[in-house]
């Protein structure tokens, strides 16, 4: 993936759009995300602590007065046409996100016309930074603007999630789409994935950097064990709800109830459920530590979370484990963990500013020695959610 500065990316999309379609457009910027704490808790109706970041997709869009969609991905150098009435599944994965969003909007009764769309981004694909949620969010914001849809951001997040379920094959939770649409600068969001209530948790500090280490092991959640993990949690709930009719999801299960019925769950299901309960508690603890400015305790939570994801939930891989192990040995590191669905992608590390340079050097060297892979690292800032950055169209439409 090419590296652009923000301004370049915007200009590249404008130029490409105008040379293809020769008209005005609406431009949307839509961020990737990190997750500070709480993985595999969202689809268990639990809590998460993600933040939107300064890596993003920029998308240009305009109605075309036809009954079809003409779409171009600059980074893939691929174009596709879809019929708005019957968009077909495509061999190009990116096109299926478009198809999914169109179908899910129509399913909810929104009427759409044809449109032209061009996009590019600097969120590495398959790196666990939610480039897919960024594309869904960008398109939803763009379509809402050009067709004047009456849709709020939480409804958009649900539509993005349904796109993954019904058109991509990932039974994901709502975290990625939600933070893509609700993120705010300088704060993480503590999100209750059941009620969708959330609070802003101030996070950014000048003396601490969020360093993402891309293992370069690319994941594909649709092919991975992700859906299996979700089914295992549901299996646990099936057994446990016999003892409490109020249990709908692992969110409702207490530690006591889980321990009391351990023998009725097989060892694997017990381990998966226990991890989810622990990880959920870690989100609450992590927020408390942040409020108390106790970064040592926050960092320990990160290491514990990684240990659980790796050993109990088994969604890590050797390369991610190696990255966390190396990080643990470095000076000035509060904590590190894998994040997102797992099986590859990035780790997130909190590093004291004055140690960042040495950290990057050491990680690159040690990771190369142990895996033969040249790492990529990004020092990331917390940014705002998907938004319109330019609209030279709407005043003319109205
Ligand atoms: C992926 C999914 C999210 C969430 C994370 C794990 O990113 O899209 O819904 O389940 O994995 O926390």
């Amino acid at each position: 993936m090419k590296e652009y500065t923000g301004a370049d990316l915007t200009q590249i999309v404008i130029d490409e759009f105008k040379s293809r379609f020769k008209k005005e457009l609406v431009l949307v910027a839509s961020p990737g995300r990190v997750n500070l704490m709480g993985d595999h808790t969202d689809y268990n109706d639990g809590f998460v602590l993600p933040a939107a970041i300064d890596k993003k997709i920029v998308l240009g869009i305009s109605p075309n007065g036809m009954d079809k969609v003409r779409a171009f991905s600059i980074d893939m150098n691929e174009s596709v046409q879809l019929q708005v009435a019957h968009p077909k599944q495509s061999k190009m994965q990116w096109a299926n996100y478009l198809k999914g969003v169109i179908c899910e909007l129509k399913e909810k009764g929104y009427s759409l016309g044809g449109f032209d769309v061009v996009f590019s981004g600097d969120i590495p694909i398959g790196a666990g930074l939610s480039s897919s949620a960024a594309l869904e969010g960008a398109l939803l914001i763009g379509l809402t603007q050009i067709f004047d849809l009456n849709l709020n951001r939480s409804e958009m997040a649900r539509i993005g999630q349904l796109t993954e379920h019904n058109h991509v094959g990932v039974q994901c939770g709502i975290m990625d789409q939600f933070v893509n649409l609700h993120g705010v600068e300088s704060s993480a969001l503590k999100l209750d994935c059941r009620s969708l209530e959330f609070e802003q948790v101030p996070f950014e500090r000048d003396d601490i950097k969020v360093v993402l280490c891309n293992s370069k092991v690319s994941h594909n959640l649709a092919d991975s064990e992700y859906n299996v993990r979700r089914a295992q949690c549901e299996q646990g709930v099936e057994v446990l709800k016999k003892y409490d009719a109020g249990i709908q999801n692992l969110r409702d299960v207490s530690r006591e109830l889980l321990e009391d019925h351990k023998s009725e769950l097989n060892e694997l299901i017990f381990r998966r459920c226990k991890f989810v309960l622990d990880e959920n508690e870690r989100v609450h603890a992590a927020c408390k530590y942040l409020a108390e400015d106790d970064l040592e305790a926050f960092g320990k939570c990160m290491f514990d979370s990684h240990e659980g994801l790796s050993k109990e939930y088994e969604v890590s891989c050797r390369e991610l484990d190696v990255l966390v192990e190396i990080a643990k040995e470095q000076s000035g590191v509060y904590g590190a963990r894998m994040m997102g669905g797992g099986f590859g992608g990035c780790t997130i590390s909190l590093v004291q500013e004055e140690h960042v340079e040495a950290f990057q050097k050491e990680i690159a060297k040690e990771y190369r020695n142990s895996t033969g892979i040249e790492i990529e690292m990004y020092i990331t800032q917390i940014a705002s959610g998907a938004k319109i950055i330019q609209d030279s169209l709407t005043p003319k439409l109205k």
Side-chain angles (χ1 to χ4, degrees), residues 79-268:
S79 60
V80 84
Q81 288 209 6
L82 301 168
Q83 295 303 320
V84 179
H86 302 289
K88 289 210 188 87
Q89 193 74 7
S90 167
K91 278 192 271 259
M92 293 171 250
Q93 182 73 316
W94 63 268
N96 293 327
Y97 295 108
L98 271 57
K99 173 215 166 206
V101 166
I102 296 167
C103 290
E104 293 301 330
L105 280 171
K106 288 199 316 189
E107 179 70 29
K108 292 224 169 341
Y110 292 97
S111 83
L112 300 176
F115 59 92
D116 298 324
V117 61
V118 167
F119 65 94
S120 177
D122 61 2
I123 309 171
I125 294 167
L129 303 178
S130 291
S131 55
S132 57
L135 179 54
E136 292 150 9
L139 188 61
L140 281 154
I141 292 278
L143 289 173
T144 300
Q145 181 77 355
I146 64 173
F147 294 124
D148 210 5
L149 308 179
N150 184 15
L151 202 61
N152 69 38
R153 284 176 178 252
S154 298
E155 289 164 342
M156 289 183 207
R158 282 279 184 229
I159 288 173
Q161 185 190 20
L162 289 172
T163 296
E164 300 276 351
H165 289 189
N166 300 332
H167 305 272
V168 185
V170 183
Q171 297 303 311
C172 65
I174 190 120
M175 166 170 77
D176 304 345
Q177 290 77 15
F178 197 92
V179 73
N180 167 263
L181 287 154
H182 284 278
V184 282
E185 246 167 65
S186 308
S187 286
L189 300 186
K190 183 186 185 194
L191 170 66
D192 176 339
C193 299
R194 171 170 280 169
S195 65
L196 296 190
E197 278 165 17
F198 63 98
E199 58 190 88
Q200 295 177 14
V201 178
F203 184 73
E204 256 180 8
R205 292 177 22 165
D206 290 342
D207 53 337
I208 309 288
K209 294 286 172 217
V210 175
V211 185
L212 305 179
C213 299
N214 186 349
S215 67
K216 298 272 200 67
V217 178
S218 177
H219 72 179
N220 179 349
L221 290 185
D223 295 342
S224 76
E225 290 270 304
Y226 184 92
N227 294 343
V228 175
R229 292 298 175 282
R230 184 167 185 159
Q232 288 168 337
C233 293
E234 282 161 10
Q235 246 177 288
V237 169
E238 276 311 302
V239 173
L240 297 168
K241 74 179 184 200
K242 286 190 270 180
Y243 302 98
D244 179 347
I247 293 176
Q248 291 169 19
N249 220 316
L250 280 183
R251 157 78 171 269
D252 308 308
V253 173
S254 68
R255 204 163 278 282
E256 295 68 38
L257 190 94
L258 181 64
E259 291 291 341
D260 285 351
H261 300 284
K262 182 173 178 176
S263 60
E264 292 152 66
L265 301 166
N266 71 42
E267 190 276 331
L268 183 80

Side-chain angles (χ1 to χ4, degrees), residues 173-388:
I174 190 120
M175 166 170 77
D176 304 345
Q177 290 77 15
F178 197 92
V179 73
N180 167 263
L181 287 154
H182 284 278
V184 282
E185 246 167 65
S186 308
S187 286
L189 300 186
K190 183 186 185 194
L191 170 66
D192 176 339
C193 299
R194 171 170 280 169
S195 65
L196 296 190
E197 278 165 17
F198 63 98
E199 58 190 88
Q200 295 177 14
V201 178
F203 184 73
E204 256 180 8
R205 292 177 22 165
D206 290 342
D207 53 337
I208 309 288
K209 294 286 172 217
V210 175
V211 185
L212 305 179
C213 299
N214 186 349
S215 67
K216 298 272 200 67
V217 178
S218 177
H219 72 179
N220 179 349
L221 290 185
D223 295 342
S224 76
E225 290 270 304
Y226 184 92
N227 294 343
V228 175
R229 292 298 175 282
R230 184 167 185 159
Q232 288 168 337
C233 293
E234 282 161 10
Q235 246 177 288
V237 169
E238 276 311 302
V239 173
L240 297 168
K241 74 179 184 200
K242 286 190 270 180
Y243 302 98
D244 179 347
I247 293 176
Q248 291 169 19
N249 220 316
L250 280 183
R251 157 78 171 269
D252 308 308
V253 173
S254 68
R255 204 163 278 282
E256 295 68 38
L257 190 94
L258 181 64
E259 291 291 341
D260 285 351
H261 300 284
K262 182 173 178 176
S263 60
E264 292 152 66
L265 301 166
N266 71 42
E267 190 276 331
L268 183 80
I269 302 292
F270 174 78
R271 199 149 37 90
R272 302 288 194 250
C273 294
K274 181 178 168 299
F275 164 78
V276 173
L277 266 58
D278 290 345
E279 185 76 352
N280 226 7
E281 272 178 22
R282 276 190 285 265
V283 176
H284 297 299
C287 291
K288 177 175 153 282
Y289 296 140
L290 279 183
E292 292 164 354
D293 208 20
D294 187 348
L295 289 175
E296 301 281 344
F298 183 86
K300 178 166 183 311
C301 256
M302 292 177 82
F303 285 128
D304 290 348
S305 166
H306 183 82
E307 185 73 11
L309 286 159
S310 175
K311 303 284 167 358
E312 293 171 7
Y313 214 66
E314 297 177 283
V315 290
S316 184
C317 60
R318 186 176 97 80
E319 292 81 357
L320 291 171
D321 290 348
V322 165
L323 281 173
V324 171
E325 280 314 308
I326 310 171
K328 217 178 245 173
E329 302 303 313
Q330 308 308 311
S331 314
V333 174
Y334 288 110
R337 62 191 283 274
M338 57 151 279
M339 60 176 184
F343 310 104
C346 290
T347 59
I348 176 170
S349 305
L350 285 198
V351 187
Q352 286 168 2
E353 153 120 80
E354 74 250 41
H355 291 281
V356 167
E357 223 182 292
F359 173 86
Q360 288 186 297
K361 263 198 198 131
E362 251 340 85
I363 292 265
K365 186 178 93 204
E366 296 283 324
Y367 190 61
R368 186 185 309 118
N369 287 346
S370 140
T371 64
I373 303 174
E374 282 306 322
I375 198 163
E376 252 175 47
M377 279 175 273
Y378 325 109
I379 297 177
T380 192
Q381 306 281 332
I382 295 187
S384 70
K387 60 179 180 209
I388 291 169

